Amino acid sequence: MTPHNHAKPGDYAEAVLLPGDPLRAQWIAENFLEGPRLVNSVRNCLGFTGIWKGQRVSVQATGMGQPSLGIYVHELINVYGLKRLIRVGTCGGLNPWVKVRDLILAQGASTDSSIVKDRFGAYQFAPLADWALLRSAADKAKAKAMRFHAGNILSSDIFYHGDWEAAYGKLMAHGVLGVEMEAAVLYTLAARFGVQALAICTMTDCLVTGEEIDAEQRQSSLGDMVELALDVAVEG
Ligand code: HPA
């Protein structure tokens, strides 16, 4: 037990899906897992464990942003012994060839976060996805004929950037595909503690073209992403 998590030892499976939104964690548990059991509800940051394709798997909400995700992920690894962590989220699009509903498999996560920067002093650490999980997700997405891109994303601490073109322009010119708020810290903690991590995002709103997903498409796209992530979680 921790101040943020009242689960008992063994309540979590070794693999977990990490949405930001607690209600999305509940939606995943109730619609995809067999026999889901609530294991954490501190601060309503819900966590569940159930069965997917015969294997135990968990889903734990992280809240929004890197400081919040960092707390849950640090404890999932160090207190509960989790080994495979897969973020399932949404992101804004930073390049016109990424269409709404496309998946982005975050091969790397650039960031403006001091949580990552401050740890490495003069060095710029490159937070990377676990290669085996990335390859597995890409193979499975291809087999399911899902549209996906693998590459660099931006994990920003700022959602409301007044002048996003000035802020993100150089990153966009270097091929950064999308912007979200969690992956870089997830990858940094996974590297620090020697576990596997991957962030998979559905692009829901393109900053460049203004294209946005509608509510119905959002639900079906998120469902496809969740099934992919669950397969990667249990099969590696
Ligand atoms: N910025 C940051 N995070 C996001 C966005 C965005 O535009 N869209 C979805 N998650």
Side-chain angles (χ1 to χ4, degrees):
M1 297 226 307
T2 79
H4 320 99
N5 198 323
H6 284 180
K8 292 193 266 317
D11 275 351
Y12 286 100
E14 281 207 342
V16 66
L17 260 54
L18 301 169
D21 177 359
L23 293 181
R24 194 163 296 147
Q26 184 171 21
W27 177 76
I28 293 169
E30 290 177 351
N31 289 283
F32 296 88
L33 302 187
E34 273 171 56
R37 188 167 66 84
L38 182 72
V39 296
N40 183 41
S41 60
V42 177
R43 290 173 180 253
N44 286 323
C45 218
L46 304 177
F48 300 84
T49 296
I51 304 288
W52 172 255
K53 297 190 176 170
Q55 294 194 54
R56 280 180 94 222
V57 64
S58 296
V59 51
Q60 170 64 54
T62 63
M64 285 181 282
Q66 313 204 64
S68 181
L69 175 133
I71 292 171
Y72 293 100
V73 164
H74 183 103
E75 294 176 353
L76 288 173
I77 298 169
N78 292 297
V79 178
Y80 295 103
L82 271 68
K83 301 286 184 222
R84 197 176 296 147
L85 299 98
I86 303 177
R87 166 165 155 71
V88 283
T90 58
C91 69
L94 292 181
N95 270 296
W97 67 81
V98 179
K99 304 293 178 199
V100 289
R101 305 191 62 174
D102 286 3
L103 283 185
I104 298 180
L105 309 179
Q107 184 177 7
S110 303
T111 190
D112 55 9
S113 175
S114 58
I115 303 178
V116 176
K117 279 192 286 196
D118 289 356
R119 176 163 289 279
F120 298 95
Y123 301 94
Q124 306 264 336
F125 178 71
L128 298 178
D130 176 78
W131 164 240
L133 295 187
L134 179 66
R135 183 170 57 182
S136 169
D139 288 348
K140 288 176 172 48
K142 199 167 173 193
K144 289 171 187 261
M146 299 169 84
R147 274 184 58 96
F148 74 96
H149 312 263
N152 205 343
I153 63 166
L154 170 64
S155 301
S156 178
D157 283 346
I158 302 169
F159 186 89
Y160 292 109
H161 245 305
D163 186 353
W164 63 266
E165 277 158 314
Y168 302 151
K170 286 217 171 76
L171 294 167
M172 291 158 68
H174 286 75
V176 172
L177 298 169
V179 53
E180 51 83 82
M181 305 187 75
E182 288 86 11
V185 164
L186 171 64
Y187 288 179
T188 304
L189 288 171
R192 181 170 160 204
F193 298 119
V195 301
Q196 295 179 286
L198 175 67
I200 306 176
C201 293
T202 298
M203 202 280 268
T204 53
D205 53 288
C206 184
L207 277 68
V208 184
T209 63
E211 196 190 7
E212 277 182 27
I213 205 164
D214 65 37
E216 197 177 308
Q217 286 180 333
R218 175 181 283 261
Q219 203 69 347
S220 75
S221 295
L222 294 182
D224 293 344
M225 172 174 64
V226 165
E227 290 190 359
L228 176 76
L230 285 168
D231 284 345
V232 174
V234 298
E235 292 166 27

